[in-house]
Amino acid sequence: MSMIVQPEPDRPDSSVIAAQNDAFRKLACLGVPPAQPIQGRMHVTRSLMEVGDGFMAEAVKATGEFATFEPENDPEGWHDFGAVEIRGETVFWKIDLYEADSDFRYGAEAPDNPATTMRVLTIMLARDW
């Protein structure tokens, strides 16, 4: 009996995805334009908006400035999740990657290709998770 070994599909470049996710976060949260166009949108949860007193603005800014990626919070190296502390409250942020023309129904087939990938950044209170 002979075995045919199938080659592993091309894995996306995690360092490229991380750089794109970082650039998108900085664009969405801090208004820093990226070197190349990156498609995406940002959402904040209702509970984050309802805290009031500038809390949401602080959370968005802290999300854009986040840079503490470790193997524990970034196992794939994509820079797609983080947690920040704002006034003693933990705030999570998450970037999901979708096929650009799929109406957010399908994950990105080539997540390291910004022309075909739509990013969605969600910022929420940790207690909403």
Side-chain angles (χ1 to χ4, degrees), residues 45 47-48 73 80-83 89-96 120-129:
T45 60
S47 60
L48 184 69
N73 69 0
D80 60 349
F81 176 83
E89 181 87 44
T90 301
V91 174
F92 288 158
W93 60 266
K94 173 77 173 106
I95 297 176
D96 294 300
V120 176
L121 169 61
T122 305
I123 305 172
M124 70 196 84
L125 296 173
R127 64 181 181 232
D128 293 334
W129 185 264

Side-chain angles (χ1 to χ4, degrees), residues 17 21 78 95-99 106-108 111 117-120:
I17 294 169
N21 283 344
W78 286 19
I95 297 176
D96 294 300
L97 308 175
Y98 296 94
E99 272 302 299
Y106 305 109
T117 300
M118 173 71 76
R119 286 169 165 74
V120 176

Side-chain angles (χ1 to χ4, degrees), residues 35-105:
Q36 62 177 336
I38 297 178
Q39 303 177 76
R41 59 177 62 169
M42 178 178 68
H43 294 276
V44 296
T45 60
R46 180 179 306 272
S47 60
L48 184 69
M49 290 188 288
E50 290 174 347
V51 173
D53 195 27
F55 187 90
M56 185 182 78
E58 288 179 52
V60 169
K61 182 177 182 215
T63 296
E65 294 173 341
F66 185 87
T68 313
F69 294 100
E70 305 291 336
E72 295 80 31
N73 69 0
D74 191 33
E76 293 197 36
W78 286 19
H79 294 193
D80 60 349
F81 176 83
V84 294
E85 289 288 322
I86 308 294
R87 302 182 200 172
E89 181 87 44
T90 301
V91 174
F92 288 158
W93 60 266
K94 173 77 173 106
I95 297 176
D96 294 300
L97 308 175
Y98 296 94
E99 272 302 299
D101 295 329
S102 75
D103 294 327
F104 308 102
R105 290 180 292 171

